[in-house]
Amino acid sequence: MKKGIHPESYRLVAFKDMSNEEIFITKSTIDTKETIEVEGTEYPLVKLEISRTSHPFYTGKSKLIDTAGRIDKFKSKYAKFKK
């Protein structure tokens, strides 16, 4: 590895998955203004929309979101090809 190109300011940071409120703590150099207290210790907080605890690939659960009836439109459009 090259010397002098990696940051030296690693610290423990709490990452919070906002879709399921799961919190995990790991080392990071990310800057954040928010903090959260976990088990009596205060950590810098980074909010995530999705993480390994809520992503369908890792959980094995998929969500079907039909906005504006796209699935129904598709089915009606290609119903004439159905035998």
Side-chain angles (χ1 to χ4, degrees):
M1 290 192 326
K2 290 185 179 180
K3 295 184 185 242
I5 62 169
H6 299 285
E8 304 263 338
S9 60
Y10 286 102
R11 66 192 190 291
L12 290 176
V13 177
F15 289 85
K16 183 175 183 180
D17 186 335
M18 300 308 290
S19 64
N20 64 2
E21 303 296 316
E22 182 77 22
I23 297 172
F24 60 95
I25 299 169
T26 187
K27 287 185 175 181
S28 178
T29 60
I30 194 165
D31 289 327
T32 181
K33 292 181 169 84
E34 296 182 78
T35 60
I36 189 170
E37 188 172 319
V38 179
E39 297 177 357
T41 306
E42 192 167 314
Y43 297 100
L45 174 65
V46 177
K47 294 180 180 177
L48 305 172
E49 291 182 27
I50 195 164
S51 72
R52 61 180 169 74
T53 60
S54 62
H55 193 281
F57 179 80
Y58 296 105
T59 62
K61 300 175 187 175
S62 63
K63 294 181 184 178
L64 180 62
I65 301 173
D66 183 19
T67 57
R70 285 188 271 166
I71 294 173
D72 293 329
K73 287 179 190 177
F74 178 84
K75 286 180 179 180
S76 65
K77 182 177 179 179
Y78 290 99
K80 61 186 170 187
F81 298 111
K82 192 174 183 181
K83 290 183 179 182

